[in-house]
PDB file of all heavy atoms in Angstrom:
ATOM      1  N   ALA H  24      45.027  65.224 115.599  1.00 67.00           N
ATOM      2  CA  ALA H  24      45.349  66.522 116.251  1.00 67.00           C
ATOM      3  C   ALA H  24      44.239  67.191 116.994  1.00 67.00           C
ATOM      4  O   ALA H  24      43.026  67.318 116.358  1.00 67.00           O
ATOM      5  CB  ALA H  24      45.837  67.510 115.096  1.00 67.00           C
ATOM      6  N   HIS H  25      44.382  67.611 118.228  1.00 88.00           N
ATOM      7  CA  HIS H  25      43.335  68.274 118.926  1.00 88.00           C
ATOM      8  C   HIS H  25      43.652  69.631 119.246  1.00 88.00           C
ATOM      9  O   HIS H  25      44.707  69.992 119.950  1.00 88.00           O
ATOM     10  CB  HIS H  25      43.101  67.603 120.414  1.00 88.00           C
ATOM     11  CG  HIS H  25      42.512  66.092 120.143  1.00 88.00           C
ATOM     12  ND1 HIS H  25      41.139  65.961 120.008  1.00 88.00           N
ATOM     13  CD2 HIS H  25      42.989  64.925 120.111  1.00 88.00           C
ATOM     14  CE1 HIS H  25      40.805  64.746 119.831  1.00 88.00           C
ATOM     15  NE2 HIS H  25      42.080  64.030 120.021  1.00 88.00           N
ATOM     16  N   ALA H  26      42.818  70.629 118.762  1.00 92.00           N
ATOM     17  CA  ALA H  26      43.065  72.124 119.002  1.00 92.00           C
ATOM     18  C   ALA H  26      42.399  72.367 120.378  1.00 92.00           C
ATOM     19  O   ALA H  26      41.273  71.987 120.675  1.00 92.00           O
ATOM     20  CB  ALA H  26      42.362  72.839 117.822  1.00 92.00           C
ATOM     21  N   ASN H  27      43.210  73.028 121.265  1.00 95.00           N
ATOM     22  CA  ASN H  27      42.573  73.591 122.481  1.00 95.00           C
ATOM     23  C   ASN H  27      41.789  74.647 122.343  1.00 95.00           C
ATOM     24  O   ASN H  27      41.132  75.084 123.365  1.00 95.00           O
ATOM     25  CB  ASN H  27      43.711  73.627 123.388  1.00 95.00           C
ATOM     26  CG  ASN H  27      44.386  72.391 123.916  1.00 95.00           C
ATOM     27  OD1 ASN H  27      43.831  71.305 123.779  1.00 95.00           O
ATOM     28  ND2 ASN H  27      45.525  72.438 124.553  1.00 95.00           N
ATOM     29  N   PHE H  28      41.851  75.383 121.218  1.00 96.00           N
ATOM     30  CA  PHE H  28      41.281  76.650 121.063  1.00 96.00           C
ATOM     31  C   PHE H  28      40.566  76.757 119.723  1.00 96.00           C
ATOM     32  O   PHE H  28      40.841  75.900 118.857  1.00 96.00           O
ATOM     33  CB  PHE H  28      42.359  77.790 121.089  1.00 96.00           C
ATOM     34  CG  PHE H  28      43.235  77.775 122.284  1.00 96.00           C
ATOM     35  CD1 PHE H  28      44.626  77.357 122.179  1.00 96.00           C
ATOM     36  CD2 PHE H  28      42.782  78.173 123.619  1.00 96.00           C
ATOM     37  CE1 PHE H  28      45.397  77.325 123.203  1.00 96.00           C
ATOM     38  CE2 PHE H  28      43.728  78.061 124.606  1.00 96.00           C
ATOM     39  CZ  PHE H  28      44.945  77.695 124.538  1.00 96.00           C
ATOM     40  N   ALA H  29      39.652  77.688 119.625  1.00 96.00           N
ATOM     41  CA  ALA H  29      38.648  77.714 118.470  1.00 96.00           C
ATOM     42  C   ALA H  29      38.836  79.026 117.900  1.00 96.00           C
ATOM     43  O   ALA H  29      39.209  80.016 118.524  1.00 96.00           O
ATOM     44  CB  ALA H  29      37.339  77.372 118.900  1.00 96.00           C
ATOM     45  N   ILE H  30      38.431  79.289 116.557  1.00 96.00           N
ATOM     46  CA  ILE H  30      38.332  80.449 115.900  1.00 96.00           C
ATOM     47  C   ILE H  30      37.338  81.330 116.732  1.00 96.00           C
ATOM     48  O   ILE H  30      36.304  81.034 117.011  1.00 96.00           O
ATOM     49  CB  ILE H  30      38.002  80.277 114.590  1.00 96.00           C
ATOM     50  CG1 ILE H  30      39.029  79.758 113.691  1.00 96.00           C
ATOM     51  CG2 ILE H  30      37.463  81.722 113.929  1.00 96.00           C
ATOM     52  CD1 ILE H  30      38.660  79.302 112.296  1.00 96.00           C
ATOM     53  N   GLY H  31      37.855  82.573 116.940  1.00 97.00           N
ATOM     54  CA  GLY H  31      37.149  83.602 117.873  1.00 97.00           C
ATOM     55  C   GLY H  31      37.633  83.665 119.272  1.00 97.00           C
ATOM     56  O   GLY H  31      37.278  84.617 119.950  1.00 97.00           O
ATOM     57  N   ASP H  32      38.387  82.597 119.754  1.00 97.00           N
ATOM     58  CA  ASP H  32      38.870  82.642 121.180  1.00 97.00           C
ATOM     59  C   ASP H  32      39.768  83.762 121.147  1.00 97.00           C
ATOM     60  O   ASP H  32      40.695  83.990 120.372  1.00 97.00           O
ATOM     61  CB  ASP H  32      39.466  81.344 121.543  1.00 97.00           C
ATOM     62  CG  ASP H  32      38.561  80.277 121.895  1.00 97.00           C
ATOM     63  OD1 ASP H  32      37.310  80.504 121.937  1.00 97.00           O
ATOM     64  OD2 ASP H  32      38.996  79.060 122.007  1.00 97.00           O
ATOM     65  N   VAL H  33      39.839  84.409 122.424  1.00 97.00           N
ATOM     66  CA  VAL H  33      40.875  85.400 122.829  1.00 97.00           C
ATOM     67  C   VAL H  33      41.822  84.667 123.698  1.00 97.00           C
ATOM     68  O   VAL H  33      41.550  84.039 124.730  1.00 97.00           O
ATOM     69  CB  VAL H  33      40.240  86.578 123.607  1.00 97.00           C
ATOM     70  CG1 VAL H  33      41.337  87.647 123.927  1.00 97.00           C
ATOM     71  CG2 VAL H  33      39.215  87.367 122.600  1.00 97.00           C
ATOM     72  N   VAL H  34      43.131  84.785 123.228  1.00 98.00           N
ATOM     73  CA  VAL H  34      44.146  84.075 123.901  1.00 98.00           C
ATOM     74  C   VAL H  34      45.349  85.091 124.214  1.00 98.00           C
ATOM     75  O   VAL H  34      45.392  86.182 123.547  1.00 98.00           O
ATOM     76  CB  VAL H  34      44.660  82.922 123.059  1.00 98.00           C
ATOM     77  CG1 VAL H  34      43.625  81.827 122.896  1.00 98.00           C
ATOM     78  CG2 VAL H  34      45.191  83.409 121.696  1.00 98.00           C
TER      79      VAL H  34
END
Side-chain angles (χ1 to χ4, degrees):
H25 289 282
N27 289 341
F28 308 106
I30 292 172
D32 283 351
V33 176
V34 293

